């Protein structure tokens, strides 16, 4: 009796498995006929049944159904594309090697009809259409459309090149957060890649704009190691150090540029400006004058050199006033101060010639005229300042 019962149970089990396989066959037939809703209902029924839920073919079919609906809808409904991708990924988890090969088979353009694809019918076909739409959108500079298609395509076949163009599309669509995610993938890649510098620059600028200076410096320094011949990153490092108020580091970096023989007039001017603000007056004067050697009409460098020399003259006059009981010492310090004023004089006059209303040049100039006994010019400058300050 037990044997009879056991045999009957096995028969019922076999009938159940057969029934579910029949459901799958019916689902496949419905799909081929274009009855997608019926095919979906039957395939999901098979997916929910214990006898067939572990069969990768079930999920491949569901992926094909969503993919075909995506294609028939003019490749516009990305939710269907995402749905298709999810089903195919589920199929891959369960598939044997041969089934995986089928799922991943690449689709190619039909050489006889460039509007058709041949080859793969699953993930490869989904990727084919996603990339096709994205490429057209990129050519049309419709980045808002290109980005989500590229984002899905990257999930199918990740690569540095695809990461870059996905980030590029996101960036131009003003999706900075997603752009940064993809550009980080690009800069982290160990392989050489032509657009890696662009990705670095975007990440650096984004962090500067967000005042994340330490993060910006991290990318800058990695970029310097990656592109040792690119001067951009060294100059950028100095700029960010200044913004981050790390003056000593900024000065040290500029000195490295000078020592390497790569300094231009802007480098020397910037170094002089920072040294001046860091109260390194002797060094600041040397740097600013070096910039003027390179460009005798460099107005910004005149500001630094003139201001440093003027401030030194003022300090010398203060020292002279403290030596009133020693005539010789007083005269010596006064003469040294006047020599400094005489040197600064043409620098400020050069600035006034470029902009007659430059109060930052007029104010020290009035003091210089006064100290050098040029009373008429002093009064002229003072009158000018009074008018600019709203006195008339």
């Amino acid at each position: 009796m037990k044997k009879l019962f056991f045999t009957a149970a096995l028969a019922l089990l076999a009938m159940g498995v057969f029934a579910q396989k029949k459901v799958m066959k019916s689902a496949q037939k419905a799909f081929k006929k274009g009855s997608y809703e019926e095919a979906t209902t039957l395939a999901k029924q098979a997916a929910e049944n214990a006898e067939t839920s572990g069969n990768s073919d079930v999920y491949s079919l569901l992926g094909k159904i969503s993919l075909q609906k995506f294609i028939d809808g003019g490749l516009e409904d990305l939710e269907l594309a995402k749905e298709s991708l999810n089903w195919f990924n589920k199929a891959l988890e369960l598939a044997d090697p041969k089934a995986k090969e089928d799922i991943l088979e690449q689709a190619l353009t039909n050489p006889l009809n460039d509007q058709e694809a041949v080859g793969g019918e699953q993930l490869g076909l989904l990727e084919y259409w996603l990339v096709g739409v994205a490429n057209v959108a990129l050519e049309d500079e419709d980045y808002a459309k290109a980005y989500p298609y590229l984002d899905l395509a990257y999930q199918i076949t990740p690569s540095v090149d695809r990461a870059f163009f996905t980030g590029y599309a996101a960036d131009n669509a003003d999706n900075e957060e997603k752009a940064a995610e993809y550009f980080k993938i690009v800069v982290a890649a160990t392989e050489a890649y032509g657009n890696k510098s662009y990705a670095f620059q975007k990440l650096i600028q984004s962090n500067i704009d967000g005042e994340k200076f330490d993060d910006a410096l991290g990318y800058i320094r990695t970029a310097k190691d990656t592109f040792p011949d690119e001067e951009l990153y060294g100059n950028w490092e100095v700029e960010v150090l200044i913004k981050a108020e790390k003056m000593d580091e900024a000065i040290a970096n500029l000195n490295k540029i000078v020592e390497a023989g790569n300094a231009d007039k802007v480098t020397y001017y910037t170094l002089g400006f920072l040294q001046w603000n860091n109260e390194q007056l002797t060094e600041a004067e040397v740097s600013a004058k070096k910039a003027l050697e390179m460009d005798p009409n460099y107005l910004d460098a005149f500001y630094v050199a003139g201001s440093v020399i003027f401030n030194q003259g003022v300090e010398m006059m203060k020292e002279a006033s403290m030596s009133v009981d020693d005539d010789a010492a007083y005269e010596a310090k006064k003469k040294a101060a006047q020599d400094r004023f005489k040197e600064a004089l043409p620098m400020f006059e050069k600035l006034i010639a470029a902009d007659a209303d430059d109060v930052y040049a007029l104010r020290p100039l009035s003091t210089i005229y006064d100290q050098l006994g040029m009373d008429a010019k002093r009064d002229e400058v003072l009158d000018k300042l009074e008018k600019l300050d709203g006195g008339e």
Side-chain angles (χ1 to χ4, degrees), residues 364-385:
L365 190 56
S366 67
T367 301
I368 292 172
Y369 284 146
D370 180 67
Q371 291 298 316
L372 296 179
M374 304 169 72
D375 296 348
K377 288 195 172 186
R378 175 202 62 199
D379 293 342
E380 183 182 338
V381 170
L382 290 173
D383 288 343
K384 179 77 172 178
L385 283 169

Side-chain angles (χ1 to χ4, degrees), residues 70 74-78 81 126-127 129-135 137 143-156 162 166:
F70 172 58
L75 309 171
E76 294 291 337
D77 191 345
L78 272 176
L126 174 60
E127 181 180 20
W129 289 116
L130 289 171
V131 172
V133 173
N135 285 341
Y143 302 110
K145 182 169 186 176
Y147 164 67
Y149 285 83
L150 287 169
D151 182 46
L152 277 179
Y154 179 83
Q155 294 176 46
I156 297 171
R162 187 162 291 172
T166 307

Side-chain angles (χ1 to χ4, degrees), residues 206-281:
S206 175
N207 281 288
I208 291 173
D209 292 343
E211 297 187 354
K212 299 177 182 178
F213 299 125
D214 287 340
D215 290 339
L217 286 168
Y219 284 118
I220 288 170
R221 286 162 181 168
T222 303
K224 282 175 66 179
D225 291 338
T226 307
F227 304 101
D229 296 328
E230 179 58 71
E231 294 181 13
L232 166 68
Y233 296 109
N235 294 331
W236 220 343
E237 184 176 15
V238 172
E239 177 187 330
V240 176
L241 286 169
I242 294 170
K243 289 179 181 290
E245 298 182 356
K246 298 181 179 183
M247 297 302 177
D248 289 338
E249 284 187 64
I251 290 171
N253 277 30
L254 284 169
N255 276 320
K256 287 179 184 177
I257 294 173
V258 170
E259 290 165 7
N262 297 323
D264 58 11
K265 67 176 185 179
V266 177
T267 302
Y268 279 111
Y269 156 72
T270 306
L271 178 58
F273 179 82
L274 294 181
Q275 290 167 330
W276 173 34
N277 281 275
N278 220 32
E279 297 184 0
Q280 297 172 315
L281 301 186

Side-chain angles (χ1 to χ4, degrees), residues 31-48:
F31 172 63
K32 288 178 181 178
K33 290 190 300 184
S35 302
Y36 302 137
E37 298 308 319
E38 179 186 355
T40 300
T41 300
L42 291 169
K44 285 185 175 179
Q45 181 183 325
E48 292 167 1

Side-chain angles (χ1 to χ4, degrees), residues 137-383:
L138 285 174
E139 288 176 6
D140 294 340
E141 298 185 358
D142 187 352
Y143 302 110
K145 182 169 186 176
Y147 164 67
Y149 285 83
L150 287 169
D151 182 46
L152 277 179
Y154 179 83
Q155 294 176 46
I156 297 171
T157 306
S159 70
V160 177
D161 188 60
R162 187 162 291 172
F164 173 78
F165 282 103
T166 307
Y168 180 81
D171 183 57
N172 282 281
D174 296 324
N175 191 339
E176 291 186 11
E177 184 177 349
K178 286 296 181 181
E181 287 181 17
Y182 278 103
F183 287 144
K184 285 176 184 178
I185 293 169
V186 175
V187 303
T190 56
E191 65 193 81
Y193 179 65
N195 289 316
K196 189 178 284 189
S197 182
Y198 182 97
F200 268 119
Q201 291 173 42
K202 281 294 182 178
L203 287 170
I204 292 165
Q205 191 60 59
S206 175
N207 281 288
I208 291 173
D209 292 343
E211 297 187 354
K212 299 177 182 178
F213 299 125
D214 287 340
D215 290 339
L217 286 168
Y219 284 118
I220 288 170
R221 286 162 181 168
T222 303
K224 282 175 66 179
D225 291 338
T226 307
F227 304 101
D229 296 328
E230 179 58 71
E231 294 181 13
L232 166 68
Y233 296 109
N235 294 331
W236 220 343
E237 184 176 15
V238 172
E239 177 187 330
V240 176
L241 286 169
I242 294 170
K243 289 179 181 290
E245 298 182 356
K246 298 181 179 183
M247 297 302 177
D248 289 338
E249 284 187 64
I251 290 171
N253 277 30
L254 284 169
N255 276 320
K256 287 179 184 177
I257 294 173
V258 170
E259 290 165 7
N262 297 323
D264 58 11
K265 67 176 185 179
V266 177
T267 302
Y268 279 111
Y269 156 72
T270 306
L271 178 58
F273 179 82
L274 294 181
Q275 290 167 330
W276 173 34
N277 281 275
N278 220 32
E279 297 184 0
Q280 297 172 315
L281 301 186
T282 301
E283 295 87 347
E285 181 180 348
V286 171
S287 298
K289 284 182 174 178
K290 187 66 178 178
L292 288 170
E293 285 178 22
M294 294 181 168
D295 181 358
N297 296 308
Y298 193 6
L299 296 180
D300 287 340
F302 276 122
Y303 266 115
V304 174
S307 297
V308 168
I309 296 169
F310 170 77
N311 288 339
Q312 289 175 334
V314 170
E315 289 303 314
M316 289 173 181
M317 284 304 298
K318 289 179 180 178
E319 292 173 11
S321 66
M322 297 172 66
S323 306
V324 290
D325 295 333
D326 185 337
D327 291 343
Y330 173 78
E331 290 299 328
K333 289 185 181 295
K334 181 178 178 181
K335 182 181 183 307
Q338 287 179 331
D339 288 342
R340 294 267 79 187
F341 289 140
K342 288 175 183 177
E343 187 174 355
L345 175 60
M347 297 181 179
F348 286 110
E349 288 182 332
K350 183 94 172 179
L351 293 169
I352 295 303
D355 180 2
D357 295 336
D358 186 348
V359 294
Y360 298 104
L362 288 167
R363 286 168 183 161
L365 190 56
S366 67
T367 301
I368 292 172
Y369 284 146
D370 180 67
Q371 291 298 316
L372 296 179
M374 304 169 72
D375 296 348
K377 288 195 172 186
R378 175 202 62 199
D379 293 342
E380 183 182 338
V381 170
L382 290 173
D383 288 343

